[in-house]
Every structure is written in structure tokens, then in C-alpha cells.
Amino acid sequence: MLAQPVHHGTGLPYTDCLKMYEPSEGSWGRLARELRAAGMTEAADRLLAADAVTTEASIWFSAGGAVEQLFYYSDHQRVNRTYDACSDAAEAALNRAGFEKYSYAPDAEAYHAAFLALAKAGTLPDARSLARAALDVFADDPTWCSDVIRTRGRDPFTYDTAAGLSGPESPTAIAARKAAHAMARAVAVRFSGDEEWYEAAGIMVEVIWHACEAAGLPPLEGRQNCQDHLHDFMDGEIPQH
């Protein structure tokens, strides 16, 4: 259990460390559960592994932040020493799993899983729960999504399979396929400059729009940053492809 090493490494009360470690199912866990239910066990296991290591790193960073909040004015040396130790522990956890510290790679793997979920939903008459789980993985920040979607992750991953998607003509399936197709277009945008950055961001707004439709939700509901990007940079319209 991670609470014990965090307690020893920071000197925080053990009960506080236990609270940091309390398990909860986030968006990645929910997507993994839906993937497993859809028979995509390998994708689910891979996503859960990425979730576990990023959770471990987050706990270490949270612990360092807690020490900083408690002792910033009374024991600055302790804060610096402990924060460095927590940062090193978080980096070590990420490195063991093949991730770099402060990289987009873990999120990229979650987006890989979301693509697989949307692609699968596009082959089924009504897979709204699967589409909803994929939708919840996407951040309400198109420019962040732009960086994530164009990041490889730990291993090569291809979105080329989107080209061959086919399935029922139900609204849910059609919308899910549109979302998967848009993800394939977004990942193909090169890392070059701001123009490309915003181009991929706009495509990710399309992804989220169609994923909302596939999930049976109003497009971009509750996603103010995506709505702002749509109106500020896309003339308020989702392109038709």
C-alpha cells in the first residue's frame, strides 16, 4: 500500500496518507470497465495499468503539496527537501512504467482507449454507455487535447483503422464513427506551430461534439471551453465530413 511509504517519506500523519490513497473510480477506470464489458480486455488492462501509475505519481505530488502548505513559512528547508523527494518518487513511478515526467503520454494512452471505445460503439446499434465513458476521458480544453492526441504514448498506436469503420445507421453508431474518424484526422496534424496546434484543437472539438451525440447528450453540454473554441475559432459550426 502506498500510504505507508508516503507517510515515511513526508512525515505526514498516516491517516492523511490513507485518505490520499482511498480508491475511487475516475474516468479512466470507468472507461476500462466499459471496454471490458464490450469484450476489449487487452485495452481495458492497458488503460488500468496507465491509470494505476499516474495515480501513484499524483499521490506523491499531492503529498509534496500538502507538506508545502503546512510548512512553507515555518520550515522552508523541510518543504524543499520533501517536495524534491516526492517529485523524485513520482518520476520513478512514471519511469518504471515507461512514461516521462510531465509528458502527455499517459493521457495519450487514455485517448487511444477512447478511440477504441468509439470505434467499437460505431459498430453497435446503441452503445451509449461505451461512448459516454470515452467522452468523459476528454478534457474540456481543446488545446490540451490537441497536444495529447498528437502524442504517441509509450508504443506506436495507429488510428488508421478508423478509415475502415462500418456499422449500423443508428444515430448513436453514426456519431461514434464520426468521432473516431475525427480523432484519426486530429492525430495526423503535424507538430509545427500555433496554426497546427489550433487546427488539431478544432478537430478535437468535433470529436467531443460527436462523442456527445453518440452518448445521447446535447453536444458540448457542460464544456464551456470547447464551446468557446467553437465560437471563437470555428465560426460556431462543426465542419461536415
Side-chain angles (χ1 to χ4, degrees):
M1 180 179 289
L2 189 58
Q4 194 70 33
V6 170
H7 166 63
H8 287 306
T10 62
L12 290 170
Y14 183 65
T15 52
D16 290 353
C17 298
L18 278 175
K19 291 176 183 177
M20 292 179 188
Y21 193 69
E22 285 178 353
S24 60
E25 186 183 55
S27 61
W28 294 15
R30 289 191 296 274
L31 176 55
R33 177 161 45 82
E34 290 292 341
L35 286 167
R36 194 178 303 282
M40 306 174 74
T41 304
E42 183 178 349
D45 289 344
R46 186 175 183 85
L47 180 56
L48 285 176
D51 189 28
V53 72
T54 53
T55 298
E56 180 180 348
S58 295
I59 289 172
W60 280 111
F61 283 125
S62 295
V67 170
E68 182 176 32
Q69 186 175 13
L70 287 169
F71 301 104
Y72 185 82
Y73 294 105
S74 61
D75 194 343
H76 203 57
Q77 285 188 336
R78 176 180 178 178
V79 168
N80 289 338
R81 183 175 63 253
T82 305
Y83 200 90
D84 287 345
C86 288
S87 182
D88 289 345
E91 184 173 13
L94 292 167
N95 288 343
R96 284 197 304 271
F99 294 126
E100 293 181 1
K101 185 179 178 183
Y102 302 131
S103 78
Y104 295 109
D107 296 271
E109 293 199 7
Y111 281 30
H112 297 169
F115 168 77
L116 293 174
L118 289 166
K120 180 68 172 180
T123 70
L124 302 171
D126 187 355
R128 279 176 288 183
S129 61
L130 184 58
R132 176 61 186 267
L135 170 65
D136 288 345
V137 165
F138 300 127
D140 181 26
D141 183 343
T143 52
W144 167 271
C145 291
S146 174
D147 287 322
V148 171
I149 193 66
R150 293 180 294 156
T151 300
R152 188 181 76 174
R154 288 174 293 185
D155 301 306
F157 182 87
T158 180
Y159 287 80
D160 294 346
T161 53
L165 280 178
S166 62
E169 292 303 302
S170 64
T172 296
I174 291 172
R177 292 197 298 271
K178 285 182 177 180
H181 290 152
M183 290 188 77
R185 286 190 288 110
V187 79
V189 177
R190 298 178 61 184
F191 276 103
S192 181
D194 285 352
E195 183 176 349
E196 290 76 15
W197 188 34
Y198 279 93
E199 178 186 356
I203 298 172
M204 285 306 298
V205 172
E206 293 181 49
V207 172
I208 294 169
W209 176 288
H210 293 306
C212 286
E213 292 180 321
L217 300 172
L220 307 186
E221 181 181 51
R223 292 176 176 267
Q224 189 60 52
N225 290 322
C226 287
Q227 293 177 34
D228 291 344
H229 193 95
L230 177 67
H231 290 96
D232 293 345
F233 299 101
M234 302 170 67
D235 298 324
E237 296 183 0
I238 296 294
Q240 301 299 314
H241 294 279

Short mmCIF file of all heavy atoms in Angstrom, two decimals, residues 116-139:
data_model
loop_
_atom_site.label_atom_id
_atom_site.label_comp_id
_atom_site.label_asym_id
_atom_site.label_seq_id
_atom_site.Cartn_x
_atom_site.Cartn_y
_atom_site.Cartn_z
N LEU A 116 -10.62 3.50 -29.33
CA LEU A 116 -11.06 2.11 -29.48
C LEU A 116 -12.51 1.95 -29.03
O LEU A 116 -13.29 1.21 -29.65
CB LEU A 116 -10.15 1.19 -28.68
CG LEU A 116 -8.70 1.08 -29.17
CD1 LEU A 116 -7.86 0.26 -28.19
CD2 LEU A 116 -8.64 0.45 -30.57
N ALA A 117 -12.88 2.65 -27.96
CA ALA A 117 -14.25 2.57 -27.47
C ALA A 117 -15.23 3.18 -28.47
O ALA A 117 -16.29 2.61 -28.75
CB ALA A 117 -14.36 3.27 -26.13
N LEU A 118 -14.88 4.34 -29.03
CA LEU A 118 -15.76 4.98 -30.00
C LEU A 118 -15.85 4.16 -31.29
O LEU A 118 -16.93 4.06 -31.90
CB LEU A 118 -15.26 6.39 -30.30
CG LEU A 118 -15.45 7.39 -29.16
CD1 LEU A 118 -14.63 8.66 -29.41
CD2 LEU A 118 -16.93 7.73 -28.98
N ALA A 119 -14.71 3.60 -31.70
CA ALA A 119 -14.72 2.75 -32.89
C ALA A 119 -15.63 1.54 -32.67
O ALA A 119 -16.40 1.15 -33.57
CB ALA A 119 -13.29 2.30 -33.22
N LYS A 120 -15.56 0.94 -31.49
CA LYS A 120 -16.43 -0.19 -31.18
C LYS A 120 -17.89 0.25 -31.13
O LYS A 120 -18.78 -0.44 -31.65
CB LYS A 120 -16.02 -0.79 -29.83
CG LYS A 120 -16.86 -1.98 -29.37
CD LYS A 120 -16.62 -3.19 -30.26
CE LYS A 120 -17.30 -4.43 -29.69
NZ LYS A 120 -17.07 -5.62 -30.53
N ALA A 121 -18.14 1.39 -30.50
CA ALA A 121 -19.51 1.90 -30.42
C ALA A 121 -20.09 2.15 -31.81
O ALA A 121 -21.30 2.03 -32.02
CB ALA A 121 -19.55 3.18 -29.60
N GLY A 122 -19.22 2.47 -32.76
CA GLY A 122 -19.68 2.71 -34.12
C GLY A 122 -20.11 1.46 -34.85
O GLY A 122 -20.69 1.54 -35.94
N THR A 123 -19.82 0.31 -34.29
CA THR A 123 -20.22 -0.96 -34.91
C THR A 123 -21.46 -1.55 -34.28
O THR A 123 -21.93 -2.61 -34.70
CB THR A 123 -19.08 -1.99 -34.82
OG1 THR A 123 -18.91 -2.40 -33.44
CG2 THR A 123 -17.77 -1.43 -35.35
N LEU A 124 -21.99 -0.88 -33.24
CA LEU A 124 -23.13 -1.41 -32.49
C LEU A 124 -24.34 -0.49 -32.64
O LEU A 124 -24.18 0.72 -32.79
CB LEU A 124 -22.76 -1.53 -31.01
CG LEU A 124 -21.54 -2.42 -30.69
CD1 LEU A 124 -21.15 -2.27 -29.23
CD2 LEU A 124 -21.85 -3.87 -31.03
N PRO A 125 -25.54 -1.05 -32.59
CA PRO A 125 -26.73 -0.21 -32.78
C PRO A 125 -26.87 0.87 -31.72
O PRO A 125 -27.27 2.00 -32.02
CB PRO A 125 -27.88 -1.22 -32.69
CG PRO A 125 -27.27 -2.54 -32.99
CD PRO A 125 -25.87 -2.48 -32.47
N ASP A 126 -26.57 0.53 -30.48
CA ASP A 126 -26.75 1.51 -29.40
C ASP A 126 -25.76 1.20 -28.28
O ASP A 126 -26.00 0.35 -27.44
CB ASP A 126 -28.18 1.47 -28.86
CG ASP A 126 -28.45 2.59 -27.86
OD1 ASP A 126 -27.49 3.32 -27.52
OD2 ASP A 126 -29.60 2.74 -27.43
N ALA A 127 -24.63 1.90 -28.29
CA ALA A 127 -23.61 1.71 -27.27
C ALA A 127 -23.35 3.04 -26.57
O ALA A 127 -22.22 3.49 -26.44
CB ALA A 127 -22.33 1.16 -27.88
N ARG A 128 -24.43 3.65 -26.10
CA ARG A 128 -24.30 4.98 -25.49
C ARG A 128 -23.43 4.97 -24.24
O ARG A 128 -22.68 5.92 -24.00
CB ARG A 128 -25.68 5.54 -25.17
CG ARG A 128 -26.38 6.15 -26.37
CD ARG A 128 -27.78 6.61 -26.05
NE ARG A 128 -28.68 5.48 -25.87
CZ ARG A 128 -29.99 5.60 -25.64
NH1 ARG A 128 -30.53 6.80 -25.54
NH2 ARG A 128 -30.74 4.53 -25.50
N SER A 129 -23.50 3.91 -23.45
CA SER A 129 -22.69 3.87 -22.23
C SER A 129 -21.20 3.78 -22.56
O SER A 129 -20.36 4.39 -21.88
CB SER A 129 -23.11 2.70 -21.34
OG SER A 129 -22.92 1.47 -22.02
N LEU A 130 -20.86 3.06 -23.61
CA LEU A 130 -19.47 2.97 -24.04
C LEU A 130 -18.99 4.32 -24.58
O LEU A 130 -17.89 4.78 -24.26
CB LEU A 130 -19.34 1.88 -25.10
CG LEU A 130 -17.94 1.55 -25.64
CD1 LEU A 130 -17.01 1.13 -24.51
CD2 LEU A 130 -18.02 0.46 -26.70
N ALA A 131 -19.84 4.96 -25.38
CA ALA A 131 -19.48 6.28 -25.91
C ALA A 131 -19.36 7.31 -24.80
O ALA A 131 -18.46 8.17 -24.83
CB ALA A 131 -20.52 6.73 -26.94
N ARG A 132 -20.23 7.22 -23.80
CA ARG A 132 -20.18 8.18 -22.69
C ARG A 132 -18.88 8.02 -21.91
O ARG A 132 -18.26 9.00 -21.48
CB ARG A 132 -21.38 7.97 -21.77
CG ARG A 132 -21.37 8.87 -20.52
CD ARG A 132 -21.39 10.35 -20.90
NE ARG A 132 -21.23 11.21 -19.75
CZ ARG A 132 -22.25 11.73 -19.05
NH1 ARG A 132 -23.50 11.43 -19.39
NH2 ARG A 132 -22.03 12.54 -18.05
N ALA A 133 -18.47 6.78 -21.71
CA ALA A 133 -17.21 6.54 -20.99
C ALA A 133 -16.03 7.10 -21.76
O ALA A 133 -15.09 7.66 -21.17
CB ALA A 133 -17.03 5.05 -20.74
N ALA A 134 -16.06 6.96 -23.08
CA ALA A 134 -14.99 7.55 -23.90
C ALA A 134 -15.01 9.06 -23.81
O ALA A 134 -13.98 9.72 -23.65
CB ALA A 134 -15.15 7.09 -25.35
N LEU A 135 -16.20 9.64 -23.90
CA LEU A 135 -16.36 11.09 -23.84
C LEU A 135 -15.78 11.67 -22.55
O LEU A 135 -15.11 12.72 -22.57
CB LEU A 135 -17.85 11.44 -23.93
CG LEU A 135 -18.25 12.88 -23.65
CD1 LEU A 135 -17.67 13.81 -24.71
CD2 LEU A 135 -19.78 13.01 -23.61
N ASP A 136 -16.00 11.00 -21.44
CA ASP A 136 -15.57 11.52 -20.14
C ASP A 136 -14.05 11.60 -19.99
O ASP A 136 -13.56 12.29 -19.09
CB ASP A 136 -16.15 10.66 -19.01
CG ASP A 136 -17.65 10.87 -18.84
OD1 ASP A 136 -18.17 11.86 -19.40
OD2 ASP A 136 -18.30 10.04 -18.17
N VAL A 137 -13.33 10.91 -20.86
CA VAL A 137 -11.87 10.94 -20.80
C VAL A 137 -11.33 12.26 -21.35
O VAL A 137 -10.27 12.74 -20.92
CB VAL A 137 -11.27 9.74 -21.57
CG1 VAL A 137 -9.79 9.92 -21.85
CG2 VAL A 137 -11.51 8.45 -20.79
N PHE A 138 -12.05 12.86 -22.28
CA PHE A 138 -11.54 14.06 -22.95
C PHE A 138 -11.62 15.28 -22.04
O PHE A 138 -12.65 15.53 -21.41
CB PHE A 138 -12.33 14.33 -24.23
CG PHE A 138 -12.27 13.23 -25.24
CD1 PHE A 138 -13.43 12.69 -25.76
CD2 PHE A 138 -11.06 12.73 -25.66
CE1 PHE A 138 -13.39 11.67 -26.69
CE2 PHE A 138 -10.99 11.70 -26.60
CZ PHE A 138 -12.16 11.16 -27.11
N ALA A 139 -10.55 16.04 -22.00
CA ALA A 139 -10.52 17.27 -21.20
C ALA A 139 -11.32 18.36 -21.87
O ALA A 139 -11.43 18.40 -23.11
CB ALA A 139 -9.07 17.73 -21.01
#
